[in-house]
Amino acid sequence: MEYITAISDMSEAIYNVIHMAIKTIYPQYYPQEVVDFFCRHHNKEHILAGIASGNMGVLMRDNIIVGTGCFDGNHITGVYVLPSYQKQGCGSQIMDCLETEIIKKHEVAILDASLPAACLYEHRGYKTIGHGIYELENDVKLVYEIMEKRLRLKNSAIAS
C-alpha cells in the first residue's frame, strides 16, 4: 500500500471512502443526527478544500483508494478507511504519514477523536486532554475526545 498526496481528480473517491466509513461505523456509536452531521461536514467542497491545501492524502491498494487522511498545522482533521480494509493497519499507516508531516514543523499533534477511533489513537500514544461537546438538532450532542501526542522532545529528536 502506498500513501500519496490527494489530487482533485480523486475527490469523488475520497468522498465515497469517507461517507462509506461514516455510514457503516458511526451508527454503532452515535445517533442518526450525529451521522448526518458528519456526512454534511465532509461534503465535496470540504474535501476539495483539503485537497487544495496539499495536506490531504490517500492510501492506495491495487489502484483503489482505501483510506484518506488530512491535517491542518498540527491538527489531524480526519482519518477514514473503508470498512472492508479496517483492522488491517491502514489507519495506522495513514497516521504514520500524517505524523511524519506534522513533526516537520510541530512538536505535538492534536486531534478530535470520534468514539470509534479513540482506541486507535490511545494505542498510538495519544492522551485525552479534554472532551468536546457539539450541540446538534433535536437536543442531540456530539461528544468527542480532544487528544494530543508529543511527537518529539523540545529541540530534540523524535520521542519514543
Side-chain angles (χ1 to χ4, degrees):
M1 285 189 278
E2 180 183 21
Y3 189 79
I4 60 173
T5 302
I7 59 172
S8 59
D9 288 351
M10 298 173 175
S11 64
E12 187 71 28
I14 294 168
Y15 176 90
N16 290 337
V17 166
I18 293 170
H19 283 250
M20 174 79 70
I22 291 169
K23 290 175 182 175
T24 303
I25 305 302
Y26 283 31
Q28 300 170 45
Y29 297 85
Y30 292 118
Q32 188 61 44
E33 289 87 350
V34 173
V35 176
D36 294 343
F37 166 80
F38 276 107
C39 286
R40 284 191 309 270
H41 176 72
H42 293 288
N43 59 45
K44 292 181 181 178
E45 293 76 23
H46 179 82
I47 292 166
L48 285 169
I51 292 169
S53 75
N55 297 334
M56 181 176 273
V58 294
L59 186 62
M60 304 290 296
R61 183 172 183 185
D62 300 326
N63 265 351
I64 297 169
I65 295 173
V66 300
T68 185
C70 192
F71 70 98
D72 182 14
N74 71 328
H75 187 189
I76 296 172
T77 58
V79 175
Y80 291 93
V81 175
L82 285 173
S84 59
Y85 288 88
Q86 291 181 7
K87 301 194 185 314
Q88 299 176 33
C90 296
S92 291
Q93 187 172 347
I94 293 169
M95 288 294 295
D96 289 344
C97 295
L98 296 174
E99 289 173 356
T100 297
E101 290 304 310
I102 291 170
I103 198 171
K104 292 176 181 177
K105 296 181 181 175
H106 304 278
E107 295 174 0
V108 174
I110 61 170
L111 53 81
D112 299 333
S114 64
L115 296 176
C119 285
L120 165 72
Y121 300 134
E122 284 178 3
H123 288 342
R124 293 188 61 83
Y126 284 81
K127 305 284 185 218
T128 299
I129 58 169
H131 304 280
I133 299 174
Y134 192 83
E135 296 197 21
L136 302 172
E137 64 271 7
N138 301 324
D139 293 322
V140 172
K141 292 175 176 53
L142 164 58
V143 178
Y144 56 93
E145 304 288 313
I146 302 165
M147 303 180 86
E148 74 173 18
K149 177 182 177 182
R150 182 158 297 281
L151 299 175
R152 64 179 158 161
L153 300 174
K154 292 182 181 181
N155 302 319
S156 178
I158 297 174
S160 57

